[in-house]
Amino acid sequence: MSETQYHATDRFEFVDEDVELLVEDTDLPRRLKNELYETIDDRGGMDLEAVEEVASAVESRYVNTRVDPLDPVGTVSAQSIGEPGTQMSVPYDEKVLVRRDGETDVTEIGSLIDGLMAVRESADVDGHEVTSGPEGMEVLSLRADERVEWKPLEQVSRHEAPEELLRFELESGRSIRATKAHSFVVQDDSGDIVPIAGDELAVGDELPVAGEYDARAGEADVSTLEAETALTDGGVVASKASQQSSIVGTASWDRIESIETVEPDHEYVYDFSVAGLETFTTAQGVVTHNTMNTFHYAGVAEIDVTQGLPRLIELVDARKTPDTPMMTVHLEDEYATERERAHEVVWKIEATKILALGDISTNVADMLVQIDLNPDTLAERWPTVDDVEAVAEEIASTIESALGVQTRQSGMLIEFGPEEPSYRDLLQLVEDLREIVFKGIEDVSRVVIRKEETEKGEEFVLYTEGSALGDVLDIEGVDASRATCNNIHEIYRNLGVEAAREAIIDETMNTLEEQGLDDVNVRHLMLVADIMTNDGEIESIGRHGISGSKDSVLARAAFEVTVSHLLDAAIHGEVDGLDGVTENVIVGKPIKLGTGDVDLRMNPGKGGSTD
Amino acid sequence: MMSTQRYNRYEKARIIGARALQIAHGAPVLIETDQTQPILIAAEEYDAGVLPFTVNRGQHT
């Protein structure tokens, strides 16, 4: 729609040609101009001066806040910040812009990546299939200085599609679909450019886009961009062939018109990983941002650990068991370097219950519980036993001793029933059966294995949900000198006070560091840990610990529950020697420290002249 | 005798402080000085070793 075709005078009763000329003369977009007309109309017409005033006010507001297409807009500082999401990808038929040997092409991301996966070896990273990008293939990426640039495609990946996708429609008619956690970059209120998860975007937010969008073709025309840049860069009109310069222009911003959730219609969703700032551009010119760096958050959910103030309170209170007990287990020698050996240790630690091993069915007619074991799982979880039958026998005997029943076992089948035919007993047996731990440590419900860079080089480290340090230390392959847990009392029981003191320092420091308080001096925490472990056992700081067991009544009363302390002291006739700091502050005496601790006497008559 | 005794910084601060208070309350100054502030006069008296104070270290060191 061209501007000259728009006749405001016909549409609005109180808008005459002079007003229209004035308004049309501004740099305002159509939407704002129309709103201006509407306002004028609503007021039943305004005189020309008022209109001019309003129009220029609106215009200056608009010009101040807008970002012109192809204008550099600040520095893109969209670095990877840990995205908590598990999936961040676009669906199969999202078209993307790629360039290969100088030929710009539009392709469906899905068919491109599926094709690559078929011919290349792909690695499995936490449920994501990852393979390297095709050689010489480049995608349009947003650079740190806001320019749009062709960058080599480093890696491509795909993973199973989630249940819902988001679909964004932009003001210019562009659209993009992505998983909820797929991140985009937006400008925040202060004009800084920040990454944002897809499901946090709202209507009205602006996304960076590249090129000019042709609504009919449904594709962005990046060629105009290239020509323009070539012109400004070298002053020469560039032909298609001169694509040496990889910078093709700057990004502009496009408002989101609507957001809706859609169902994915393909099995997988896909992702590109690009060197540098990890963004790529779809065929419609929408720039999206991705971070392969956060893959360790994907697929395998992180172990949930209490953090922040609640954790700090937990530590200082010296709770018997933390809210979320966990262990960090380092391994020895070949267990630390070979995935299979490391897994052996995992199965020795993680509690294996019957549900993981096979299917349970209850046969009410014969009053039998039947277990159909899965031989593959048995072989996996008992890697050191060659014969799966032997494992099945072991399981059967474990059941016998745990439930006190006779079992019949043949091959992968185990059956048993209550002594007397009783429906209730049968169900009770199934209930009890589910609780039996066949292998591993009962308290450890889950083990996450992760490859990490440590002082000993790259090695596998186990993180467990639930802790039983004493049991873990005895397991073969566990490096007892580096195994820790977050339960201070467990460390105290197994390794002694000194270890517990060390653990308190480490845990409090880590908790503070996670909250960005890494400049707290360790000595403060060492002091706390020293006080807590001073008696040779762990004591909490609060009312029931250190502060509650002080000798001085006044010091105790100053901490908490003042009245009851004073009352009890009065009843028992306690005496306060006023030795501590708190007591002396309360009674208004100088404290017995430094200058306050000097006992000064004057010798009258002795002084006077120097002899 | 006085100059042979060594005071630590807390004792020194306390002595000068106590003496400055006396001077401020009108005690006769024990030395010739150009100073006018009690604390500075006290400091000079301390340096001259004329102050009639002893520190009782009794129970500790």
Side-chain angles (χ1 to χ4, degrees):
Chain A
M1 185 195 337
S2 114
E3 305 252 324
T4 48
Q5 287 168 337
Y6 192 86
H7 291 299
T9 38
D10 302 343
R11 303 186 186 201
F12 299 98
E13 201 186 331
F14 294 100
V15 172
D16 59 22
E17 274 178 34
D18 286 341
V19 172
E20 184 181 356
L21 258 173
L22 214 145
V23 173
E24 290 302 327
D25 199 37
T26 60
D27 276 344
L28 293 174
R30 187 78 270 148
R31 188 170 54 85
L32 287 176
K33 281 178 187 168
N34 284 354
E35 273 180 33
L36 207 57
Y37 288 134
E38 272 168 37
T39 314
I40 295 169
D41 226 29
D42 285 348
R43 295 192 188 175
M46 293 158 78
D47 60 47
L48 217 53
E49 259 174 55
V51 172
E52 191 176 351
E53 212 169 285
V54 171
S56 68
V58 172
E59 191 181 6
S60 71
R61 276 275 185 92
Y62 168 74
V63 170
N64 283 344
T65 51
R66 88 173 157 179
V67 179
D68 281 323
L70 303 181
D71 251 9
V73 271
T75 310
V76 179
S77 55
Q79 294 297 327
S80 126
I81 53 168
E83 285 150 289
T86 51
Q87 276 124 10
M88 29 189 190
S89 312
V90 294
Y92 184 90
D93 43 357
E94 197 64 54
K95 290 197 175 68
V96 289
L97 278 173
V98 295
R99 188 171 78 163
R100 196 163 196 174
D101 306 326
E103 286 289 326
T104 310
D105 196 14
V106 170
T107 180
E108 284 185 347
I109 190 167
S111 63
L112 174 75
I113 293 178
D114 280 351
L116 285 168
M117 292 287 178
V119 295
R120 281 161 193 264
E121 205 175 298
S122 64
D124 186 67
V125 183
D126 292 337
H128 295 243
E129 286 176 76
V130 181
T131 192
S132 53
E135 237 162 79
M137 187 171 280
E138 296 168 306
V139 295
L140 263 188
S141 178
L142 202 61
R143 288 201 327 180
D145 63 357
E146 194 73 13
R147 310 281 284 179
V148 180
E149 184 187 17
W150 289 105
K151 286 290 266 290
L153 186 54
E154 286 194 331
Q155 281 185 313
V156 297
S157 68
R158 67 173 180 192
H159 60 85
E160 274 177 38
E163 277 170 27
E164 280 185 339
L165 295 175
L166 292 174
R167 183 171 185 278
F168 301 96
E169 196 144 331
L170 304 182
E171 201 171 27
S172 59
R174 301 175 211 240
S175 74
I176 183 170
R177 283 164 304 158
T179 55
K180 287 184 174 172
H182 187 101
S183 75
F184 295 87
V185 289
V186 293
Q187 272 186 299
D188 66 9
D189 297 338
S190 55
D192 287 338
I193 290 159
V194 293
I196 185 171
D199 58 355
E200 285 171 18
L201 281 171
V203 172
D205 283 347
E206 292 187 329
L207 293 179
V209 292
E212 271 166 30
Y213 184 62
D214 183 345
R216 273 158 305 163
E219 283 172 16
D221 187 2
V222 193
S223 58
T224 57
L225 257 170
E226 289 172 12
E228 260 177 48
T229 335
L231 252 175
T232 49
D233 280 357
V236 194
V237 180
S239 72
K240 274 261 173 187
S242 78
Q243 287 172 329
Q244 304 311 87
S245 121
S246 62
I247 302 167
V248 295
T250 46
S252 50
W253 297 83
D254 204 348
R255 251 182 81 248
I256 297 174
E257 278 284 311
S258 67
I259 302 174
E260 54 182 337
T261 52
V262 290
E263 276 179 32
D265 33 36
H266 283 81
E267 191 185 349
Y268 292 108
V269 285
Y270 303 85
D271 229 336
F272 280 168
S273 177
V274 185
L277 206 78
E278 297 178 336
T279 59
F280 61 92
T281 311
T282 66
Q284 297 183 342
V286 183
V287 178
T288 77
H289 167 242
N290 178 36
T291 46
M292 287 284 276
N293 314 347
T294 55
F295 256 174
H296 57 270
Y297 284 105
V300 188
E302 285 280 282
I303 293 180
D304 181 43
V305 190
T306 317
Q307 289 181 324
L309 188 63
R311 175 65 183 148
L312 218 51
I313 293 172
E314 197 173 270
L315 283 163
V316 161
D317 278 357
R319 300 255 171 87
K320 283 280 177 267
T321 44
D323 210 29
T324 51
M326 66 159 296
M327 289 185 290
T328 307
V329 181
H330 290 257
L331 303 172
E332 274 180 332
D333 312 325
E334 76 267 21
Y335 292 98
T337 48
E338 288 168 41
R339 188 173 276 271
E340 268 141 48
R341 303 307 307 269
H343 263 289
E344 264 177 48
V345 182
V346 171
W347 298 131
K348 280 184 194 162
I349 297 174
E350 188 175 311
T352 298
K353 294 191 178 168
I354 198 71
L355 283 177
L357 298 174
D359 301 320
I360 314 171
S361 51
T362 44
N363 182 337
V364 182
D366 301 326
M367 280 292 154
L368 284 174
V369 180
Q370 293 169 318
I371 306 165
D372 185 10
L373 296 170
N374 181 344
D376 294 336
T377 318
L378 296 193
E380 190 194 348
R381 300 221 174 192
W382 275 264
T384 46
V385 183
D386 293 329
D387 186 13
V388 186
E389 286 250 356
V391 177
E393 278 168 32
E394 192 188 317
I395 290 171
S397 69
T398 312
I399 295 174
E400 280 188 13
S401 58
L403 300 181
V405 290
Q406 290 294 316
T407 61
R408 272 193 308 281
Q409 179 253 331
S410 66
M412 289 298 108
L413 272 175
I414 299 175
E415 2 174 85
F416 59 91
E419 282 173 32
E420 304 284 319
S422 151
Y423 188 63
R424 249 183 88 182
D425 289 355
L426 187 72
L427 289 182
Q428 189 58 46
L429 280 179
V430 176
E431 282 292 302
D432 295 345
L433 176 67
R434 287 171 196 267
E435 296 305 313
I436 300 173
V437 175
F438 292 93
K439 199 169 190 243
I441 301 163
E442 197 179 351
D443 296 323
V444 180
S445 55
R446 201 161 67 97
V447 177
V448 173
I449 182 168
R450 211 191 272 167
K451 197 167 203 168
E452 270 176 19
E453 199 64 48
T454 66
E455 65 268 30
K456 291 203 173 181
E458 207 169 61
E459 60 176 1
F460 289 105
V461 182
L462 311 183
Y463 294 89
T464 70
E465 218 172 273
S467 79
L469 192 63
D471 298 334
V472 164
L473 293 179
D474 293 336
I475 290 173
E476 196 196 329
V478 171
D479 185 348
S481 66
R482 289 188 294 158
T484 57
C485 69
N486 65 354
N487 185 342
I488 308 295
H489 289 275
E490 211 165 270
I491 292 180
Y492 169 66
R493 257 177 276 132
N494 292 292
L495 303 169
V497 236
E498 281 302 320
R501 188 191 87 101
E502 207 71 21
I504 294 171
I505 298 168
D506 286 349
E507 288 286 328
T508 44
M509 195 67 212
N510 287 338
T511 309
L512 290 175
E513 271 169 4
E514 263 155 30
Q515 304 297 314
L517 299 169
D518 49 347
D519 47 1
V520 171
N521 196 298
V522 245
R523 272 168 269 224
H524 296 290
L525 307 174
M526 286 164 79
L527 180 65
V528 170
D530 278 339
I531 292 171
M532 287 177 72
T533 53
N534 191 29
D535 286 354
E537 55 184 37
I538 298 166
E539 247 190 305
S540 68
I541 294 282
R543 199 184 335 171
H544 305 290
I546 310 288
S547 296
S549 59
K550 282 182 180 166
D551 287 337
S552 161
V553 199
L554 292 179
R556 266 181 285 135
F559 178 64
E560 265 176 14
V561 282
T562 312
V563 175
S564 70
H565 269 125
L566 293 177
L567 187 63
D568 285 351
I571 290 168
H572 294 106
E574 273 183 58
V575 175
D576 198 319
L578 301 182
D579 295 320
V581 175
T582 333
E583 300 93 289
N584 283 300
V585 170
I586 291 172
V587 298
K589 284 208 316 172
I591 56 171
K592 288 269 166 280
L593 279 175
T595 50
D597 197 26
V598 178
D599 182 14
L600 201 61
R601 299 285 162 90
M602 192 180 172
N603 322 315
K606 254 195 154 183
S609 57
T610 25
D611 296 320
Chain B
M1 184 189 93
M2 249 196 165
S3 48
T4 52
Q5 175 153 31
R6 290 196 59 84
Y7 295 117
N8 66 32
R9 51 183 156 159
Y10 306 112
E11 292 161 344
K12 179 179 175 182
R14 184 68 197 284
I15 290 166
I16 294 176
R19 180 61 189 160
L21 197 65
Q22 291 180 340
I23 294 168
H25 284 308
V29 176
L30 303 171
I31 51 163
E32 285 296 317
T33 176
D34 299 333
Q35 300 294 347
T36 51
Q37 290 178 49
I39 190 79
L40 297 176
I41 299 169
E44 275 196 22
E45 286 180 337
Y46 175 87
D47 289 340
V50 296
L51 291 176
F53 293 120
T54 45
V55 171
N56 179 15
R57 288 182 176 156
Q59 58 277 41
H60 38 246
T61 44

